[in-house]
Amino acid sequence: NISGDRIKSDIKTASINLNKSKPITETEINKVIEKGVYKINVENNELIHCLPIGYNLDSEEETFDPRNLYGENLSVNVLLGKVPEIMFRNLKTVLDNSNLNITEKVLSPYASGMSCLVNDEKELGATLIDIGGGVTSIASFKNGHPIYFSSIGVGSINVTNDIAWG
């Protein structure tokens, strides 16, 4: 579970041409996702999440499962959740020194959203704001998928201090 004030996200898009006489199968879906992953340049960041969040067929309306549909072009939007590489390396060093192994990684705002929001909220659209002591994390969901992660270095300590001074 990775938290901190430097969590961020980006959405990248990739597309492939299709054989319009054949329906889309898992092979084409995997191919467009792989192309999207190949385009990723995280520039000194550790990639924590790479989540396909929607597909477009022939630049039409978004679909979440293009299997068995026909078209000429399939594109995918991929949500990237990342943290600075140095921040992740320090966290990994602490865990390594404690003789603990990392088997899975998740950003805190994503974990909070998955545990606190019900499916209807994620489907209709919701933003979860998790105010901690020193960091506020944000996760936005729409159509059942996360669409944005972020955090800022302001938390309840700042609010308490502001109230005390006021």
Side-chain angles (χ1 to χ4, degrees):
N1 184 355
I2 301 168
S3 61
D5 64 346
R6 296 186 286 169
I7 290 172
K8 53 188 166 184
S9 64
D10 290 317
I11 296 178
K12 299 290 184 186
T13 302
S15 62
I16 60 169
N17 292 322
L18 300 169
N19 181 343
K20 62 183 176 182
S21 64
K22 292 183 179 180
I24 296 171
T25 65
E26 197 69 34
T27 302
E28 287 81 19
I29 292 171
N30 289 336
K31 186 177 176 182
V32 74
I33 290 172
E34 285 175 19
K35 187 173 181 183
V37 170
Y38 179 73
K39 289 175 60 174
I40 295 171
N41 180 2
V42 292
E43 298 175 0
N44 299 320
N45 290 291
E46 176 73 17
L47 185 63
I48 307 301
H49 296 293
C50 186
L51 307 168
I53 59 173
Y55 301 89
N56 290 79
L57 190 56
D58 297 333
S59 301
E60 296 290 325
E61 190 172 319
E62 189 172 62
T63 181
F64 298 104
D65 188 1
R67 280 180 279 239
N68 299 320
L69 299 177
Y70 294 83
E72 294 180 7
N73 186 281
L74 177 65
S75 63
V76 64
N77 293 320
V78 180
L79 177 67
L80 309 176
K82 51 193 177 177
V83 296
E85 191 267 334
I86 190 84
M87 182 178 148
F88 179 76
R89 194 175 342 142
N90 287 335
L91 176 61
K92 185 175 180 336
T93 299
V94 169
L95 293 172
D96 288 345
N97 291 340
S98 301
N99 296 317
L100 297 171
N101 296 322
I102 297 173
T103 57
E104 300 273 340
K105 303 179 282 190
V106 65
L107 294 175
S108 291
Y110 181 42
S112 296
M114 294 302 289
S115 65
C116 294
L117 299 174
V118 296
N119 288 338
D120 285 350
E121 293 169 328
K122 290 184 278 190
E123 193 66 38
L124 293 171
T127 296
L128 181 122
I129 301 172
D130 186 358
I131 302 174
V135 175
T136 298
S137 300
I138 302 160
S140 294
F141 291 78
K142 184 178 177 186
N143 298 325
H145 300 284
I147 58 168
Y148 180 74
F149 304 124
S150 188
S151 62
I152 56 174
V154 176
S156 62
I157 292 170
N158 304 93
V159 174
T160 301
N161 287 339
D162 289 350
I163 291 170
W165 280 102

